[in-house]
Amino acid sequence: GLSEEWLENSTQNIIIPMEGEIDSMNVSVAAGILIFEAKRQRR
């Protein structure tokens, strides 16, 4: 997860739904998912 400093300075939380028993994901994987979804929604 993110440190308290990052959480305190954020303006919005984004939740990426995950199935199974995954506790967290690599930040680069999360960024890739967010970029993919942003591009998909702009089509």
Side-chain angles (χ1 to χ4, degrees), residues 4 11 16 24 30 42:
E4 282 299 316
T11 58
I16 299 172
S24 65
R42 289 190 174 128

Side-chain angles (χ1 to χ4, degrees), residues 17-37:
M18 297 183 285
E19 291 187 26
E21 300 201 20
I22 300 171
D23 291 330
S24 65
M25 69 175 65
N26 182 297
V27 76
S28 63
V29 172
I33 292 169
L34 295 176
I35 292 167
F36 174 85
E37 184 62 16

